Amino acid sequence: MPCNHTIHKHRHHFGWDNSIEPVLSVTPGQTVEIETIDSSGGQLTSDSQTGDLGTLSFDHVNPVTGPIHIEGAAPGDAVAVTFLDFKPSGWGWTANIPGFGLLADQFPDPALHIWTYDAVSMAPALYGPGGKVPLKPFVGTIGLALAEPGTHSVVPPRRVGGNLDIRDNAVGTTLYLPVEVAGGLLSLGDTHAAQGDGEICGTAIESPMTVAIKIDLLKNANLQFPRFQTTGPVTSHIDSAGYKVTTGIGDDLMQAARDALSGMIDWITATTQMSATDAYMLCSVCGDLRISEIVDIPNWTVSFYFPRIVLDG
């Protein structure tokens, strides 16, 4: 759809810093089309191989395009961002990066999968022997500037947003971000073609694309953390064939999550020709970690849902 403004991908930055000059100023209600770079900052391409992960500089990951000044935004307000449209690039990557991910201790070796997909039909992307992953483009990193001066890493999420990796920040969703500085200073990037809840290996289908958004302002919202609302179901693209589910149970939620995931990797490798590393990366782009129970002291239940349509459909 036509937008009021366009920001090209070269207008990006690394880290949140309220001293960065905005590249655009908008009034509430206006729309913006924003080009993004993949989360490697262009260090990986559709021709990259696993060896290229060894030279990946973490000083240049997760670039975000912006910032955008929102007229009238003041501390205590909330910026409302509605995701209108995505124009995917047709390629992406998923990697196991040593030292990163929920099972980093079990998967110390680098691995890289380059994806190609139809950017028009958005048909499920092929993966290995028989795998087909349904696609759902979304923005992984989106946030406002912090009031605290200086440069802050883009990697962790914060109360003003950032690397949220919420896969439902997709078309139709409205995200509300608390404002800490005048103008808000909105930036976004780290677009994904698909991701499971948890992004368990640390990467999704990292894919550059163009995002169309509408920006609004809620005065005196006084939010403590980001909120969002969707316009419809959020799983209907993958649950039509049901799920395979493994669980982890114990008094430590992190360990229970690790156990649930490990069980699913074991299940996939036992029933397919897939390696454990490939199964780990596949789980990251389409499987969902869920807290099933957190009240029955002293043990909690975490479940890992893997959509059967990916391998059985």
Side-chain angles (χ1 to χ4, degrees):
M1 62 174 294
C3 289
N4 299 118
H5 307 277
T6 297
I7 306 177
H8 297 287
K9 61 185 179 183
H10 69 278
R11 307 301 295 272
H12 65 269
H13 59 96
F14 300 93
W16 307 108
D17 189 332
N18 61 33
S19 69
I20 298 176
E21 288 294 321
V23 301
L24 176 69
S25 183
V26 302
T27 57
Q30 289 192 315
T31 57
V32 186
E33 187 176 67
I34 302 169
E35 293 182 351
T36 72
I37 307 174
D38 75 286
S39 64
S40 77
Q43 298 178 81
L44 298 177
T45 71
S46 57
D47 296 321
S48 291
Q49 299 183 5
T50 299
D52 295 322
L53 295 175
T55 60
L56 198 65
S57 170
F58 277 80
D59 291 334
H60 292 87
V61 299
N62 267 33
V64 285
T65 304
I68 301 169
H69 176 276
I70 297 96
E71 294 183 19
D77 298 341
V79 170
V81 180
T82 301
F83 301 100
L84 303 176
D85 193 20
F86 290 80
K87 295 179 181 177
S89 60
W91 80 277
W93 59 270
T94 301
N96 182 53
I97 300 172
F100 192 49
L102 183 59
L103 300 182
D105 57 327
Q106 298 179 31
F107 293 91
D109 297 323
L112 178 68
H113 180 81
I114 299 296
W115 301 80
T116 58
Y117 59 89
D118 190 320
V120 177
S121 71
M122 295 300 287
L126 300 181
Y127 184 88
K132 296 180 180 179
V133 175
L135 303 178
K136 181 179 180 178
F138 73 97
V139 172
T141 300
I142 178 170
L144 306 178
L146 289 81
E148 183 180 353
T151 300
H152 305 271
S153 172
V154 176
V155 175
R158 306 175 187 276
R159 72 170 295 269
V160 290
N163 193 13
L164 299 172
D165 285 325
I166 298 172
R167 74 165 185 205
D168 297 321
N169 280 327
V171 169
T173 293
T174 299
L175 173 68
Y176 301 91
L177 300 169
V179 176
E180 288 192 355
V181 299
L185 302 181
L186 173 71
S187 301
L188 65 81
D190 184 32
T191 44
H192 298 159
Q195 179 202 291
D197 284 334
E199 196 186 25
I200 52 86
C201 85
T203 59
I205 300 183
E206 311 292 329
S207 182
M209 56 188 73
T210 299
V211 186
I213 62 173
K214 180 184 178 184
I215 300 173
D216 289 298
L217 182 64
L218 277 66
K219 299 297 293 182
N220 302 311
N222 294 313
L223 301 183
Q224 291 302 307
F225 297 99
R227 300 177 182 177
F228 66 94
Q229 63 183 29
T230 72
T231 55
V234 296
T235 63
S236 59
H237 65 298
I238 59 173
D239 63 3
S240 59
Y243 292 90
K244 293 181 177 180
V245 184
T246 49
T247 66
I249 299 173
D251 60 1
D252 185 305
L253 275 178
M254 182 63 74
Q255 186 58 49
R258 286 166 53 88
D259 291 342
L261 172 58
S262 294
M264 183 55 67
I265 292 171
D266 290 343
W267 192 344
I268 292 173
T269 57
T271 56
T272 71
Q273 299 178 0
M274 201 173 294
S275 71
T277 300
D278 285 340
Y280 181 40
M281 293 193 293
L282 182 60
C283 284
S284 191
V285 302
C286 67
D288 298 330
L289 269 177
R290 300 182 184 178
I291 298 176
S292 298
E293 173 273 307
I294 198 170
V295 294
D296 295 332
I297 296 173
N299 292 332
W300 330 122
T301 303
V302 177
S303 301
F304 192 85
Y305 284 66
F306 186 88
R308 294 177 59 186
I309 196 171
V310 173
L311 294 175
D312 301 341

